[in-house]
Amino acid sequence: MPFVLRSASYYTGDRRHFPEGTRGFLYYCQPNPGAPLVAGQIRFRLTPGNDPASFIQGSDLLMPNGLPWSIPLLMIAGEKIKDQGDSATGIWQQLVDDGLVTPTLLETWGATMKASKLAPIPSSRIIHSFGQLFHVDFDLNCFYFFLLTMNQLRRQRYYGLFTEYEDHPIIRPYLGSALCCFERSILPQHNGTRTVVIRIVKMISPPICVYPDYNGCIPLPVEGELVHYHYKRWGLQPKSYNVDSPGHASLKMLFRDES
């Protein structure tokens, strides 16, 4: 049956209301093949009418950051375990009744998050695969995200992707934001290694330099290009992370199809 969405406050963590006349169907978006089963999401499909046949003609409701509005399955599992009210319980039961997920999956992940004391908030970046889009503000000091494996959830922190951090004070030269993704590097300098780079896939808010005549370590972000940094030792290079080095071993799970 169709729904009318009026408020995003419960699952987006703010008091922003959906656009007037937001109508369509809630549906379960299965994770891509090879991704963790718990990576599924509830999404909202905007449709031209109330007929379920119009679903294919619709499009997912997008948030201002360019990503689909969603309720991650991880949140549903975690909130049900914490007894956070009828909403999480109702969604949990509907997913199970429709055969979309198993009770064991939800119970296992709910217990895992409770034991580890990890609880992704609605705006969390939950990353599990190469090519998966995530939103980044250019003026972030630190880049936080949750790394989801087949059986584990880890909280990660990296210095801001567009932050000049080799000297103090830390410099954040740009305002703006973009959708980015992790990729396996195919650059010649990374041949024979398992190295991750970051691509700027789509600009959401074009970069604005806040320092006149800035000529520092961070080149202007460009849509379609990799994130670069001007290192004192190596010059201008793509930011990269060798997952077989101790400092970036957590990203190794992105190579889960390799031994």
Side-chain angles (χ1 to χ4, degrees):
M1 94 183 262
F3 288 81
V4 178
L5 291 184
R6 294 187 174 86
S7 176
S9 61
Y10 182 67
Y11 280 111
T12 63
D14 59 27
R15 296 296 174 183
R16 182 183 295 116
H17 287 263
F18 287 112
E20 187 70 26
T22 298
R23 300 172 185 271
F25 295 85
L26 289 169
Y27 76 100
Y28 182 62
C29 181
Q30 295 277 3
N32 292 330
L37 292 177
V38 78
Q41 302 173 336
I42 301 291
R43 292 188 180 180
F44 192 85
R45 177 61 63 99
L46 300 170
T47 58
N50 295 338
D51 186 349
S54 66
F55 184 91
I56 195 171
Q57 304 170 33
S59 59
D60 286 345
L61 173 67
L62 299 181
M63 297 296 289
N65 63 12
L67 295 174
W69 177 92
S70 66
I71 306 172
L73 192 58
L74 271 174
M75 285 187 58
I76 297 170
E79 293 187 356
K80 174 63 167 61
I81 289 294
K82 293 186 296 181
D83 295 323
Q84 290 294 304
D86 294 336
S87 181
T89 301
I91 295 174
W92 166 310
Q93 193 61 53
Q94 189 67 56
L95 291 171
V96 171
D97 290 347
D98 290 346
L100 296 169
V101 299
T102 65
T104 300
L105 178 70
L106 293 169
E107 291 165 1
T108 299
W109 276 97
T112 296
M113 288 188 290
K114 184 175 181 180
S116 63
K117 298 182 179 180
L118 290 177
I121 61 174
S123 59
S124 296
R125 303 173 189 88
I126 303 173
I127 297 172
H128 52 77
S129 301
F130 285 128
Q132 180 188 351
L133 296 178
F134 51 86
H135 182 258
V136 176
D137 289 306
F138 298 145
D139 61 342
L140 281 179
N141 244 1
C142 288
F143 174 62
Y144 293 92
F145 61 97
F146 285 91
L147 199 58
L148 177 63
T149 71
M150 293 298 185
N151 55 16
Q152 197 172 30
L153 185 69
R154 300 178 181 177
R155 190 168 188 263
Q156 303 294 315
R157 182 184 73 174
Y158 282 80
Y159 283 110
L161 301 182
F162 302 91
T163 299
E164 192 172 326
Y165 51 79
E166 289 188 328
D167 296 316
H168 292 281
I170 292 175
I171 297 175
R172 294 168 290 178
Y174 303 108
L175 299 175
S177 68
L179 295 180
C180 300
C181 72
F182 287 119
E183 293 183 357
R184 179 173 189 161
S185 177
I186 57 173
L187 296 171
Q189 61 265 41
H190 300 143
N191 188 39
T193 68
R194 296 194 296 178
T195 298
V196 174
V197 291
I198 302 171
R199 187 171 301 280
I200 304 167
V201 177
K202 181 181 180 179
M203 289 292 177
I204 299 301
S205 179
I208 299 174
C209 188
V210 297
Y211 299 105
D213 303 318
Y214 172 74
N215 189 27
C217 296
I218 311 293
L220 185 75
V222 176
E223 184 172 291
E225 299 293 328
L226 298 178
V227 176
H228 282 73
Y229 193 88
H230 197 284
Y231 298 91
K232 291 181 177 179
R233 183 175 178 182
W234 303 291
L236 185 64
Q237 295 287 330
K239 278 197 171 184
S240 61
Y241 312 94
N242 187 324
V243 304
D244 294 307
S245 63
H248 308 299
S250 59
L251 291 173
K252 190 178 296 185
M253 58 74 54
L254 292 170
F255 294 86
R256 58 178 170 262
D257 293 331
E258 300 182 15
S259 56

